[in-house]
């Protein structure tokens, strides 16, 4: 399955795009979102992957007008042998723009996840604010996560950050919940839901 979405956000435009994926286990999906923004535009792209075989989501955004705001978010809940790969490239071409990337993965069984996020701040894009976060939960010993956050900054008056965490379920929290009469399966689900919230 292939999917292409193009967003041209003109001056003062507000665009929200929500994409929910629930495909068959044998589906291979390649999806791309291209966004170009002008002055004072606000774009939110939010993807949730709940069931798939193999998925690759590409996000390419150009903030090409002052005071443009972009939010690219993704949540993945994968199990069995599912594979989900998200790539986000945000190009800050003009000054006074803001972008936020937030991707969360919950991987169970033998599932695999990949995230590569890149923020480019061009030379003239002064006063840029760009934030990138990737948080991952490997809920089984066989789950794997590959992550590569990147910043490429050519302006000198910016606020930019990127970070990533990958961890497992907290055994002490599981023990605490089980000692209060909650089954192990229910406790695991509750902790995974709290992580994705």
């Amino acid at each position: 399955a292939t999917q292409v979405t193009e967003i041209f956000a003109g001056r003062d435009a507000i665009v929200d795009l929500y994409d929910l994926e629930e495909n068959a286990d044998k589906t291979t999906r390649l999806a791309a979102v291209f966004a170009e923004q002008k002055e004072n535009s606000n774009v939110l792209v939010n993807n949730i992957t709940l069931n798939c075989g193999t998925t690759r989501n590409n996000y390419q955004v150009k903030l090409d007008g002052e005071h443009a705001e972009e939010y690219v978010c993704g949540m993945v809940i994968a199990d069995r042998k599912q594979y989900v790969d998200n790539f986000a490239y945000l190009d800050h071409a003009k000054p006074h723009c803001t972008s936020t990337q937030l991707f969360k993965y919950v991987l169970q069984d033998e599932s695999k996840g990949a995230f590569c996020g890149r923020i480019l701040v061009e030379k003239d894009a002064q006063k840029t604010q760009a934030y990138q976060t990737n948080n991952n939960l490997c809920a089984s010993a066989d789950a794997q996560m590959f992550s590569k956050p990147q910043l490429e900054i050519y302006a000198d008056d910016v606020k930019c950050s990127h970070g990533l965490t990958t961890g497992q379920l907290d055994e002490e929290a599981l023990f605490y919940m089980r000692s209060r009469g909650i089954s192990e399966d229910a406790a695991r689900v509750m902790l995974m839901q709290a992580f994705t919230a």
Side-chain angles (χ1 to χ4, degrees), residues 29-32 54-58 83-87:
R29 176 178 184 254
L30 303 172
T54 299
T55 291
R56 167 70 183 228
N57 296 308
N58 293 306
Y83 177 78
V84 182
D85 183 350
N86 284 298
F87 173 78

Side-chain angles (χ1 to χ4, degrees), residues 2-6 30-34:
T2 59
Q3 175 182 332
V4 174
T5 305
E6 294 180 305
L30 303 172
V33 175
F34 299 94

Side-chain angles (χ1 to χ4, degrees), residues 25-37:
D25 293 351
K26 294 184 179 182
T27 300
T28 297
R29 176 178 184 254
L30 303 172
V33 175
F34 299 94
E36 184 176 316
Q37 295 184 239

Side-chain angles (χ1 to χ4, degrees), residues 99-126:
S99 71
T100 301
Q101 291 180 44
L102 174 61
F103 285 83
K104 289 186 175 187
Y105 288 70
V106 176
L107 304 172
Q108 304 170 78
D109 303 328
E110 297 176 33
S111 61
K112 292 184 174 126
F115 169 75
C116 181
R118 184 171 171 216
I119 296 172
L120 169 64
V121 180
E122 296 187 24
K123 181 181 172 185
D124 296 329
Q126 302 296 337

